[in-house]
Amino acid sequence: MTIRISSCVIDLIQRAAVAAAPDEACGLLFGDDDAIDRATIAANVAADPRRRFEIDPAALFAAIRAERAGGARVVGYWHSHPSGDAAPSPTDAAMARDDGMLWLIATGTAFTLWRAVAAGRHGRFDPVDISVG
């Protein structure tokens, strides 16, 4: 299955990744089963934002409340890897649940998309094909 991602979403995420470096940037992804058409930037409230990310719980809860009220569906999360490797790390795997949510990992120039599953890379992620448009 291929998921279409708006080029505006990619641009927003990559700009945020560059601006936050050397810290990790993060946020939420919105869309449906076939497409990611919107993303937001959230504060990274991790104790060590240079090595991990934690989406501000207030931003996450607000998005979930809005979704329940008929707003955009939260389909996943994004974060940056300032190291330049857009693949999930063991730290990412330890944070993820096998809930099927999408994880977009970005550098300033590259990005990959993953689905959180019960097995896969680092025991947690399957790669997802992307179409940008």
Side-chain angles (χ1 to χ4, degrees):
M1 167 184 226
T2 300
I3 295 185
R4 184 185 54 75
I5 303 177
S6 164
S7 58
C8 294
V9 167
I10 297 300
D11 185 55
L12 173 91
I13 290 170
Q14 288 182 316
R15 286 176 188 252
V18 168
D23 290 346
E24 292 190 13
C26 60
L28 301 169
L29 303 171
F30 300 87
D32 58 33
D33 292 337
D34 300 317
I36 297 169
D37 52 26
R38 193 172 135 237
T40 58
I41 301 168
N44 180 353
V45 297
D48 184 0
R50 290 189 179 192
R51 297 177 39 111
R52 58 182 291 138
F53 79 100
E54 181 180 342
I55 294 171
D56 180 356
L60 181 57
F61 293 142
I64 292 169
R65 278 194 303 272
E67 178 182 346
R68 288 180 180 162
R73 181 175 150 214
V74 178
V75 296
Y77 320 102
W78 70 266
H79 72 285
S80 64
H81 281 179
S83 66
D85 183 4
S89 68
T91 300
D92 294 335
M95 293 173 55
R97 296 177 295 161
D98 62 341
D99 57 7
M101 295 295 274
L102 296 171
W103 284 55
L104 189 145
I105 302 173
T107 68
T109 58
F111 58 92
T112 57
L113 189 64
W114 306 83
R115 187 171 305 280
V117 296
R121 184 176 185 126
H122 299 302
R124 189 57 67 202
F125 295 104
D126 279 346
V128 177
D129 292 328
I130 302 169
S131 165
V132 178

